[in-house]
Amino acid sequence: MLSKRLLLRSAAAAVGLAALPVFGQYSGATPVPDKYKAGFDSVTIEKAQDILGYLAGPECEGRGTGQPGYQKAAEYVAARFKELGLKPLDAEGD
C-alpha cells in the first residue's frame, strides 16, 4: 500500500504540479534546483488537499475503471493539465 506522502506526491504529479513541500524528509535529501524552485514553492498543502479531496471524494464515486467517477476524475486532471499549458506526448514520448 502506498504511503500517504507518496500518494500525495503522485497526485500532485498527476495534475502537473511540482513536488510537494516535504516535512521530515530523509537526511540525504538535496535542495530543490533553482530552475524548479518556483514550481516547488507554488504547491501548498492546502492546494494538494483540495485536489486530492476532490479525486478521492464522493464526487468521483470511487474512480472505478469505466465508471462515471473515473471519467469525472480523468476530466478533472485533464482540465488541470490544460490550465497549466501541458500538452500530451506523442506515441514516441516526444
Side-chain angles (χ1 to χ4, degrees), residues 4-92:
K4 287 182 182 179
R5 184 176 291 146
L6 181 57
L7 183 60
L8 194 59
R9 286 184 189 153
S10 298
V15 294
L17 301 176
L20 295 174
V22 177
F23 301 97
Q25 192 171 27
Y26 77 100
S27 61
T30 58
V32 176
D34 288 342
K35 66 181 182 179
Y36 300 125
K37 186 106 174 86
F40 184 90
D41 291 341
S42 74
V43 180
T44 64
I45 290 173
E46 293 78 17
K47 190 173 192 175
Q49 286 174 332
D50 286 345
I51 293 165
L52 288 172
Y54 177 80
L55 292 173
E59 298 89 346
C60 290
E61 305 164 333
R63 300 166 321 282
T65 303
Q67 297 178 356
Y70 181 87
Q71 186 63 33
K72 285 181 187 177
E75 290 170 1
Y76 178 84
V77 171
R80 301 300 74 76
F81 281 5
K82 187 174 183 178
E83 285 174 9
L84 294 166
L86 299 177
K87 304 217 185 304
L89 296 175
D90 62 20
E92 287 77 42

